[in-house]
Amino acid sequence: MCLIVSRRAIFGYCRRRTEILLLIVVVFGSSILNLLLKLIFQRVRPDIHRLVEITGYSFPSGHSMGAFSFYSVLAYLLWRHIDSRTGRGVLIAFAIIMIVSIGLSRIYLGVHYPSDILGGYLASCAWVSFMVRYYERRMGKRAFPDA
């Protein structure tokens, strides 16, 4: 079976490469920011009721930062391509559920304090906001062009 790729598909992909680049920069940048913040704060992990043994510093939560970065920038990018209110509502609900679930799971496992999760969310929110603003200025686009 041959795979035939049209020019339209190729050019559509090329137009989307800046969006893919934004996703990659946000996710990897969030990981680097997390490492820097852990080195600055050097907060020890909780030692009570731990279900999983894990090493390293606690603040901010890397899983929470990664989840917030990935799902929020993904929602931002997909929002622009979804026309229906229902589709957008499902997208936002999915992103929120994933972000909150991952944060709560870290507390449940006993490897983070709630403040670690909140700190991860806030640091990641600042990073994502900075990158989205930079992206929009660079591309000359608004976050929600039809709003």
Side-chain angles (χ1 to χ4, degrees), residues 33-145:
L33 178 61
N34 181 263
L35 290 173
L36 292 173
L37 291 173
K38 282 183 185 278
L39 289 173
I40 291 169
F41 290 104
Q42 296 185 0
R43 183 178 188 183
V44 295
R45 292 186 181 274
D47 57 357
I48 304 171
H49 305 296
R50 212 186 269 186
L51 296 177
V52 177
E53 282 302 317
I54 193 166
T55 60
Y57 296 120
S58 177
F59 185 85
S61 167
H63 282 82
S64 297
M65 280 186 74
F68 191 97
S69 294
F70 178 73
Y71 289 109
S72 62
V73 78
L74 187 65
Y76 165 76
L77 293 171
L78 291 176
W79 176 280
R80 301 155 47 95
H81 302 287
I82 297 174
D83 294 329
S84 73
R85 292 184 102 183
T86 305
R88 287 180 170 183
V90 169
L91 174 68
I92 297 303
F94 175 75
I96 290 170
I97 289 169
M98 291 303 294
I99 291 167
V100 171
S101 297
I102 291 171
L104 290 176
S105 74
R106 306 310 289 168
I107 296 169
Y108 173 78
L109 291 172
V111 295
H112 285 290
Y113 297 104
S115 58
D116 298 340
I117 306 304
L118 184 60
Y121 288 161
L122 292 175
S124 192
C125 181
W127 172 248
V128 171
S129 298
F130 173 77
M131 290 308 300
V132 166
R133 282 191 183 166
Y134 176 79
Y135 171 78
E136 288 178 353
R137 285 187 181 173
R138 187 97 164 121
M139 300 303 293
K141 298 176 184 176
R142 289 181 37 210
F144 308 108

